[in-house]
Amino acid sequence: MLDQYLQYIEQLPDSRELRRDDLLHPDFLIEKENNLEMYYSPHNEYINDQAKIVIVGITPGWTQMKKAFETFVALKATNRSVDRILEETKKEASFSGTMRLNLIHMLDEIKLHDALGLSGTSCIFEDSRPMLHTTSMIKYPVFYKDKNYTGHQPKMNNSPLLSKYAYDRFSDEINSLPPSSLLIPLGKTVDSIIEELKLEGRINQVCLKGFPHPSGANGHRMKEFNKQKEYLSEMIDYWKQNKSEM
């Protein structure tokens, strides 16, 4: 899809911070459905088809979208290939800021790094990045009444637009990844749809069910996490013991 939007990306200013009116613009609008608007962003184009860990969010928000475009624009001025630019844009934009810190803390608590033979989970965002694929159930940023879509209004299965991405395009992407990879869905909405897809036999990877969303806006995340911690740790152990047979 990059080819369709590259001409507009090249017209973005590179001398100042990008604004909402630069990106939430008709040039980048993919589809609109009632109060939902889906916009293009370049950071989910890159697919790491060798990943061991797959972290799945709901949809990129404004912060990720802005970071992705600014990174892409800056790297476009270099002599790197488009594929390399997309890979670097993914690294910079995915779960950036405090959300990443919260995520790393929780994954350390359930010893994901031990299962991977690493000193800490932060390594998968750094030198061990080839182990990680990050993605979103809705691949491109979605806004509901100009605010980040949270998965609640409307429900994904009540929207033809969102369902197309959540149930069809998402499962296609996951099936392009190793069957031995571990899925980590962030939050109940993503969790429940992945569970549906697994029950239907449309995806087969082990899923870390019940992992709370690491956003700072989720004030109950540590309470939820502590309730699930033992089970999540057991699932990590199960995956570690069985991944070679998957």
Side-chain angles (χ1 to χ4, degrees), residues 152-191:
H152 300 298
Q153 189 176 6
K155 297 289 187 183
M156 287 191 192
N157 55 9
N158 289 334
S159 161
L161 171 60
L162 300 181
S163 293
K164 175 174 65 176
Y165 281 84
Y167 290 93
D168 297 327
R169 299 196 182 182
F170 173 73
S171 59
D172 289 344
E173 178 179 342
I174 295 302
N175 284 318
S176 73
L177 304 175
S180 59
S181 56
L182 175 67
L183 303 186
I184 305 178
L186 303 184
K188 294 177 181 178
T189 300
V190 177
D191 203 333

Side-chain angles (χ1 to χ4, degrees), residues 116-130:
L116 295 169
L118 301 173
S119 59
T121 306
S122 61
C123 294
I124 63 174
F125 288 97
E126 297 165 359
D127 294 343
S128 297
R129 183 74 194 213

Side-chain angles (χ1 to χ4, degrees), residues 42-48 55 64 67-68 71-72 75 84-96 100 125 129 132-136 139 173:
H43 75 288
N44 270 334
E45 296 282 4
Y46 174 75
I47 307 293
N48 178 12
I55 301 177
Q64 283 180 279
K67 182 71 170 176
T71 302
F72 190 96
L75 292 176
R84 183 64 176 162
I85 290 172
L86 290 172
E87 183 177 356
E88 291 297 318
T89 299
K90 164 84 82 172
K91 289 179 182 179
E92 288 296 319
S94 58
F95 305 113
S96 54
R100 183 182 294 187
F125 288 97
R129 183 74 194 213
L132 176 66
H133 179 59
T134 59
T135 189
S136 299
K139 188 171 184 173
E173 178 179 342

Side-chain angles (χ1 to χ4, degrees), residues 17-58:
E17 187 174 344
L18 294 178
R19 301 187 297 254
R20 291 179 75 90
D21 59 342
D22 293 318
L23 303 181
L24 303 189
H25 187 278
D27 286 345
F28 296 111
L29 182 65
I30 297 175
E31 291 190 59
K32 180 178 173 64
E33 178 187 282
N34 300 322
N35 291 312
L36 290 170
E37 293 181 330
M38 177 183 290
Y39 289 88
Y40 179 75
S41 180
H43 75 288
N44 270 334
E45 296 282 4
Y46 174 75
I47 307 293
N48 178 12
D49 60 8
Q50 301 300 310
K52 295 182 179 180
I53 304 299
V54 184
I55 301 177
V56 185
I58 296 174

